[in-house]
Amino acid sequence: MGERRVIGWAARDTTGLLSSYSFNLRKTGPEDVVIKVLYCGIDHTDLHQMRNEIHSTNYPLVPGHEVVGEVEELGSEVKKFRVGDRVGVGCIIGSCGKCSSCKSNNEHYCADRIFTTGGTYPDGAPTHGGFSSTMVVHQAFVVRMPNKLAPEQAAPLLCGGVTAYSPLKQFTKGYSNEDVLRVGILGLGGVGHLGVIIAKAMGHHVTVISSSSKKKEEALEHLGADSYLVSSDSAEMEAAAGRLDYILDTVPAHHNIKAYLSLLKVEGRLVIVGASPQPLQFIASDLILGKKTIGGSFIGSIEETEELLEFWAEKGLKTMIEVVKTDYVNKAFERMERNDVRYRFVLDVAGSNLH
């Protein structure tokens, strides 16, 4: 199968503004899946990449790494899928397949991983993401969608959802089903709201930590959080000291993590999943005197993504999304940057005029 010309939306410089862009898909190999894109989630990392704030962006950049689509064609060696299947693609579309990370179902930590957008194929060609009509992806990095999940509902799970699910799943290791872990979700945006839903479905006691009380009613009444903590209120923070087993830090901008370490119990953990483009700081003694740790977690594996999709469908969970088309996508990024979305934009690619 040869190259084909497709239409997407791309950023061309550090303004990050998107406009129509045509490009050639790479040639389809024997293990590749050709996917008609239906929906694609809009993630804060897209904005960082569009503006060249993380990594080193090569323009034009077609963003989008929470892709839900329908199989159009299959390479000759693909046995896992059939034409017409609904499938998903997340942040990674390639890895070496040989290293210890790849062999232990941690391919997202492979040093030679290929990012869905802003990445580079082995031949030097750039990767293009889901803000486009069609994608070609190796079958190993395509996941099947449960029939119960609406495609627009599923899109945010492929990055934001698994970014929360993977560390929350790790938190439970070493504890019995009877143990109720006290988890703090720092930041109530796209990843944060999914973290609350997932943690509650896992049976955790969930505290939402936010800089103001604006989202308190939503967190408690709509998302089902058990408590809400305003981090700018020193009295509330002092009263909550030493109460949490873990904190999932989803904030994708610069913030003071020192303030949140006091909330952890002895041996508590703060896990960072929000990609702040600026350095974060802490005082060493805050960790040492409480045997506390700061760690990071990057998305999740293909296996964990499939687990999450089944978990979500089985529990009957719902993402809170706003569906938009490409003629609104630049406005959507503006609103996302000022936290004016509840809680995730999803781009209706198939329903948009990409030209």
Side-chain angles (χ1 to χ4, degrees):
M1 302 176 192
E3 292 182 347
R4 70 176 76 187
R5 197 79 175 163
V6 298
I7 301 293
W9 274 52
R12 289 169 167 81
D13 54 43
T14 55
T15 64
L17 292 175
L18 298 169
S19 58
S20 185
Y21 171 65
S22 65
F23 60 95
N24 288 326
L25 284 181
R26 65 176 178 82
K27 291 182 179 180
T28 307
E31 291 197 68
D32 285 333
V33 180
V34 180
I35 301 168
K36 175 187 176 182
V37 178
L38 300 177
Y39 293 93
C40 187
I42 296 178
D43 184 73
H44 217 106
T45 305
D46 291 320
L47 187 61
H48 288 322
Q49 287 184 302
M50 287 153 52
R51 293 178 174 175
N52 196 27
E53 293 174 340
I54 56 175
H55 309 304
S56 181
T57 300
N58 293 316
Y59 298 103
L61 175 85
V62 178
H65 55 267
E66 295 179 334
V67 185
V68 178
E70 185 178 281
V71 175
E72 280 193 331
E73 296 178 19
L74 298 169
S76 59
E77 296 179 17
V78 177
K79 307 300 181 188
K80 185 178 177 182
F81 304 104
R82 294 182 178 180
V83 171
D85 283 351
R86 189 181 298 161
V87 295
V89 178
C91 297
I92 303 296
I93 56 170
S95 68
C96 77
K98 302 174 183 177
C99 67
S100 59
S101 293
C102 288
K103 290 181 177 180
S104 60
N105 290 325
N106 285 302
E107 66 285 336
H108 50 306
Y109 293 116
C110 174
D112 294 323
R113 60 183 172 255
I114 301 174
F115 289 104
T116 303
T117 180
T120 305
Y121 291 112
D123 65 0
T127 64
H128 296 300
F131 287 19
S132 59
S133 59
T134 313
M135 295 179 69
V136 177
V137 183
H138 190 284
Q139 65 172 337
F141 295 89
V142 179
V143 297
R144 188 185 306 279
M145 286 289 155
N147 291 331
K148 292 180 181 179
L149 284 185
E152 67 276 17
Q153 281 278 319
L157 303 179
L158 297 167
C159 173
V162 76
T163 293
Y165 176 80
S166 180
L168 286 169
K169 176 188 169 185
Q170 297 303 314
F171 289 165
T172 62
K173 289 187 175 179
Y175 291 88
S176 70
N177 292 333
E178 288 74 34
D179 292 322
V180 177
L181 295 176
R182 302 182 72 89
V183 178
I185 305 293
L186 177 54
L188 195 61
V191 176
H193 101 279
L194 295 169
V196 174
I197 296 169
I198 293 167
K200 283 299 299 178
M202 288 179 169
H204 301 330
H205 181 283
V206 179
T207 297
V208 170
I209 308 166
S210 188
S211 59
S212 76
S213 60
K214 289 190 298 183
K215 299 178 181 178
K216 184 174 183 177
E217 181 179 345
E218 294 173 30
L220 298 177
E221 296 187 14
H222 299 296
L223 296 176
D226 299 287
S227 60
Y228 190 95
L229 180 59
V230 180
S231 59
S232 58
D233 187 321
S234 57
E236 281 194 28
M237 291 289 283
E238 186 174 345
R243 291 189 176 183
L244 300 177
D245 294 295
Y246 305 100
I247 294 174
L248 185 68
D249 182 349
T250 73
V251 179
H254 184 267
H255 56 290
N256 178 19
I257 60 173
K258 178 185 183 300
Y260 305 106
L261 293 173
S262 66
L263 302 175
L264 293 170
K265 297 177 181 179
V266 172
E267 296 190 331
R269 294 169 58 194
L270 185 148
V271 176
I272 297 170
V273 298
S276 169
Q278 293 88 31
L280 303 178
Q281 295 181 321
F282 63 92
I283 296 174
S285 59
D286 290 340
L287 300 182
I288 295 167
L289 297 178
K291 200 179 179 182
K292 300 172 184 179
T293 58
I294 297 174
S297 182
F298 174 58
I299 56 169
S301 65
I302 296 296
E303 182 179 65
E304 287 173 323
T305 303
E306 292 174 333
E307 282 178 13
L308 171 60
L309 293 169
E310 292 295 338
F311 176 85
W312 201 268
E314 180 185 329
K315 299 281 187 180
L317 305 176
K318 297 290 184 182
T319 50
M320 296 179 69
I321 59 172
E322 182 176 336
V323 178
V324 299
K325 296 187 179 182
T326 51
D327 59 0
Y328 191 81
V329 69
N330 287 310
K331 182 69 174 179
F333 275 109
E334 288 178 17
R335 286 180 52 196
M336 184 184 69
E337 189 173 22
R338 60 176 187 265
N339 296 318
D340 179 24
V341 57
R342 298 296 180 269
Y343 281 94
R344 196 75 157 182
F345 284 115
V346 174
L347 185 62
D348 179 0
V349 177
S352 295
N353 180 2
L354 297 180
H355 294 275

